Amino acid sequence: MARQLKSPREIDAIARAGSVVAKVLHRLGEMCQPGVRTLELDAQADRLCRELGGESLFRGVPGRGGPFPGNICCSINEQVVHGIPSERRVQEGDIVSVDYGCRLDGWCADAAATFIVGEIPPRVRQMVQATREALEMALGRCRPGVLWSTVARAMQQHVEGQGFSLVRELVGHGIGKAMHEDPKVPNFVSRELLVRDILLESGLVIAVEPMVCLGGYDIKVLSDGWTVATRDGEPSAHFEHTLAIVPGGVRVLTTEG
Ligand code: MG
């Protein structure tokens, strides 16, 4: 599989884009309070990104629903990913998944987080926590020489061991000059992955993004052509970091730095 390894200097450049992404997500997390419209989150993301010298990545990405109209993807409750910012107001009891990517000096970074708004059922809180932990688990296990399937297996066992499920149809990805590069990075072990496993090597930059469902992992695309939601209507959470495999371990590139 064609994949481009990045030099330390290129990884530094992706980390600068990642710092913008992390600052935007931090700010949006603070804004995720009852009453805020998702369009306000979207506008804030683009404003802050421009202030920091970057350019939002998702706007205009082609898809079945036409070019993506937002700067962020904002997916609430049973929505998994790719939600379109709108006049909808965030409410007490919502979980709000925000995915954001930016390009800075020609390099892309991509991250996501699910924000909890007020009181939510304990089981939903546990699901959000399990998703965050799955990503942390991946960060702890990635290093040169490791096969990705062993990382994916650990994430899968952590999530499924608590009775939750991992989305199958959407996966993480390589990232660099383009938002989506090889390889595809699944959050679960499939026969296909075992046949064509990903050997982690220094310089590989990937976006790891577990998407976890409280119920089943089946998803559907809503009539807007973009929003992905669970088929059973149960809530879903999403955490993502862009990371580089470096000698001895991993460097998370979507941190505020
Ligand atoms: Mg991504």
Side-chain angles (χ1 to χ4, degrees):
M1 186 176 290
R3 49 152 87 167
Q4 300 153 317
L5 300 179
K6 276 74 179 180
S7 70
R9 185 177 294 211
E10 291 171 334
I11 290 170
D12 285 342
I14 298 171
R16 285 193 288 276
S19 166
V20 175
V21 170
K23 286 173 175 142
V24 167
L25 282 178
H26 183 151
R27 177 76 64 85
L28 299 191
E30 291 170 346
M31 286 176 69
C32 257
Q33 301 291 334
V36 73
R37 291 190 193 88
T38 58
L39 263 175
E40 294 174 60
L41 301 176
D42 187 72
Q44 175 62 51
D46 202 43
R47 194 156 53 231
L48 181 53
C49 179
R50 285 172 199 275
E51 270 173 35
L52 296 169
E55 176 195 353
S56 295
L57 260 187
F58 300 165
R59 178 178 288 279
V61 167
R64 229 174 62 195
F68 190 74
N71 299 292
I72 64 171
C73 296
C74 188
S75 312
I76 299 179
N77 298 334
E78 79 286 355
Q79 299 175 354
V80 181
V81 289
H82 303 168
I84 297 173
S86 72
E87 297 291 340
R88 179 172 178 174
R89 290 180 191 273
V90 170
Q91 292 181 36
E92 166 87 19
D94 281 344
I95 59 170
V96 181
S97 298
V98 179
D99 195 343
Y100 186 66
C102 108
R103 180 181 278 115
L104 181 72
D105 298 330
W107 293 95
C108 302
D110 185 7
T114 296
F115 303 115
I116 291 171
V117 184
E119 286 301 310
I120 61 170
R123 184 70 175 149
V124 179
R125 184 173 291 274
Q126 189 188 346
M127 188 247 329
V128 174
Q129 185 62 23
T131 315
R132 182 201 302 271
E133 288 164 356
L135 178 55
E136 284 166 1
M137 192 168 269
L139 302 180
R141 286 169 190 256
C142 287
R143 63 180 181 280
V146 166
L147 288 172
W148 174 255
S149 63
T150 66
V151 180
R153 182 175 286 111
M155 288 203 288
Q156 188 174 5
Q157 285 172 349
H158 184 70
V159 166
E160 293 180 351
Q162 298 176 66
F164 306 123
S165 66
L166 278 154
V167 170
R168 297 291 205 267
E169 292 171 57
L170 300 163
V171 298
H173 49 94
I175 182 167
K177 291 269 189 196
M179 174 166 66
H180 293 128
E181 298 184 353
D182 282 338
K184 286 190 167 64
V185 183
N187 303 297
F188 55 92
V189 179
S190 62
R191 189 177 306 166
E192 186 190 348
L193 176 63
L194 292 174
V195 170
R196 300 178 61 174
D197 214 326
I198 305 162
L199 176 65
L200 300 180
E201 47 189 335
S202 222
L204 182 66
V205 176
I206 52 178
V208 177
E209 48 179 322
M211 289 154 263
V212 172
C213 305
L214 189 80
Y217 57 65
D218 286 334
I219 55 175
K220 61 182 178 184
V221 178
L222 302 188
S223 58
D224 62 22
W226 277 107
T227 312
V228 174
T230 58
R231 241 174 220 290
D232 61 13
E234 296 287 349
S236 177
H238 180 208
F239 284 87
E240 175 180 20
H241 271 307
T242 296
L243 59 93
I245 308 300
V246 295
V250 74
R251 177 177 171 196
V252 181
L253 304 180
T254 36
T255 63
E256 292 191 54

